[in-house]
Amino acid sequence: MAALTPGAPLTVGFDLDMTLLDTRPGIKATYDAIAAETGVWIDSALIVTRLGPPLEAELVNWFPEERVDEVADRYRELYVHIAVPACVPLPGAREAVAAVRGHGGRVVVVTGKHGPNARLHLDHVGIAVDALIGSVWAQQKGDALRGEGASVYVGDHLGDITGARAADALAVAVATGPYGVRALREAGADAVLPDLTAFPDWLAGHLASAPSPVG
Ligand SMILES: [Mg+2]
């Protein structure tokens, strides 16, 4: 388990989809628009039960590989108008971010989503962050977290636990995405919360048990 470095500033990373934001209705509608434009049947209801991996990793289930880049570009265009306005913060998201700041910490968002669209989401809901890194997944999230000096990463997917591990950060899992509490525990998360409403208390307890987290 990672420990906070005495004197180092607290930096907490958050995943975006199904950790900070409920993006399911907008993502489903964007896939439905892609299906209507291309004439290709896409099970958008299934897709939104397994959000986390990059867009291209989902599109290969529905399109031949040679079309994936073109469809991904179109999806990202439509996404701005369809999915961004439809997103809402998940319960406790604003308070979780505020809790980090209340302890003098930095907030970074590390997400598999296309960075510019992730930025539009955050602007839409009015959640300010200190850094945003998009288009990273699993081990790559670890590189991003390490680069930002994050000692905690909060996410809803098993890939987020992998990312935290790769950065030697604490993996805090929230059961607001595809996985329940038991599955997240079995996957080795350091802490498992039902949702972000429990995060401020968890953070306070974590910091109380760690040496001088804020320089
Ligand atoms: Mg997620």
Side-chain angles (χ1 to χ4, degrees), residues 68-106:
V68 163
D69 285 350
E70 157 219 329
V71 175
D73 286 347
R74 181 60 180 149
Y75 174 98
R76 289 178 177 128
E77 283 174 12
L78 291 170
Y79 192 95
V80 172
H81 307 289
I82 298 173
V84 168
C87 77
V88 292
L90 281 160
R94 291 182 197 286
E95 294 83 357
V97 168
V100 175
R101 294 205 192 287
H103 291 285
R106 295 172 66 243

Side-chain angles (χ1 to χ4, degrees), residues 16 21-23 79-89 94 116-128:
L16 191 67
L21 303 182
D22 185 354
T23 47
Y79 192 95
V80 172
H81 307 289
I82 298 173
V84 168
C87 77
V88 292
R94 291 182 197 286
N117 286 352
R119 171 66 65 192
L120 291 173
H121 270 305
L122 291 168
D123 290 348
H124 175 73
V125 298
I127 292 179

Side-chain angles (χ1 to χ4, degrees), residues 15-19 51-52 156-157 160:
D15 169 56
L16 191 67
D17 292 275
M18 305 317 297
T19 296
L51 298 179
D156 65 284
H157 202 287
D160 299 328

